[in-house]
Amino acid sequence: MSIDSRIVGDFRLKEIQIKTRRALRQGMYKIGKDLEKTLKSDILKKPKNGRTYITKTANGRRRKHVASAAGETVANRTGNYRKSVGFKVGQDKIEFGAGVEYAGFLENGTPKMGARPSLKNTIKSKYKDMRGDIMAALKREFR
């Protein structure tokens, strides 16, 4: 007695693989756009609870700046950090971060300054949405 283990049918495995990769890239792109938009808006949100400074602008005017406290999202002062926030979608991953040289000091803190984990806070706040974005992209691709 023998059992025939062949599967009869027209399975397009290569097509399924291509569609799955395309859907994952689309989902990761949506995640990246959401993370970037959320972080940039959180940076501009007021009020922050840190120290208040009086600073001078380029034309000599004085203005009040309220810094962020440890644990909060970074406060906007010059806009360089906010402008440097971005993402990049790779083959099977997404890179999200800030490109200024001091971003690591803000995110992790220093011996004299508490951490302002802006990236971590944003990822935590959007974590549940990420799975939904991937599932929605897969459903769109396999309609």
Side-chain angles (χ1 to χ4, degrees):
M1 179 170 154
S2 68
I3 298 174
D4 188 5
S5 62
R6 289 180 291 167
I7 299 173
V8 179
D10 185 21
F11 293 114
R12 298 181 198 124
L13 293 178
K14 191 69 171 172
E15 181 183 341
I16 291 171
Q17 183 181 24
I18 290 168
K19 283 185 170 191
T20 302
R21 281 196 177 140
R22 186 181 313 137
L24 289 175
R25 284 183 62 84
Q26 289 170 353
M28 287 190 292
Y29 183 80
K30 170 94 169 62
I31 289 168
K33 291 299 279 182
D34 286 348
L35 288 172
E36 182 179 9
K37 181 181 174 186
T38 302
L39 179 54
K40 286 182 176 184
S41 69
D42 285 352
I43 289 171
L44 294 175
K45 272 187 191 166
K46 306 241 184 211
K48 301 292 183 185
N49 298 316
R51 188 173 162 189
T52 302
Y53 296 92
I54 303 295
T55 60
K56 284 189 180 180
T57 61
N59 61 5
R61 292 185 54 187
R62 299 171 73 124
R63 69 179 274 246
K64 185 169 79 169
H65 171 71
V66 180
S68 56
E72 288 183 336
T73 299
V74 175
N76 192 51
R77 183 166 174 217
T78 64
N80 291 338
Y81 183 84
R82 186 174 50 87
K83 291 176 203 167
S84 76
V85 170
F87 70 96
K88 185 170 132 184
V89 176
Q91 185 71 11
D92 58 350
K93 65 181 177 179
I94 181 170
E95 295 176 15
F96 171 64
V100 291
E101 60 275 358
Y102 54 86
F105 297 120
L106 290 172
E107 191 71 21
N108 302 315
T110 66
K112 294 186 177 187
M113 179 190 78
R116 273 88 173 147
S118 305
L119 300 170
K120 290 175 190 168
N121 290 345
T122 302
I123 291 169
K124 278 182 190 176
S125 72
K126 300 301 278 179
Y127 189 77
K128 290 182 180 177
D129 298 339
M130 291 180 195
R131 184 174 179 179
D133 290 340
I134 295 289
M135 293 305 293
L138 285 166
K139 285 179 184 176
R140 272 193 312 273
E141 192 64 39
F142 285 101
R143 274 191 243 162

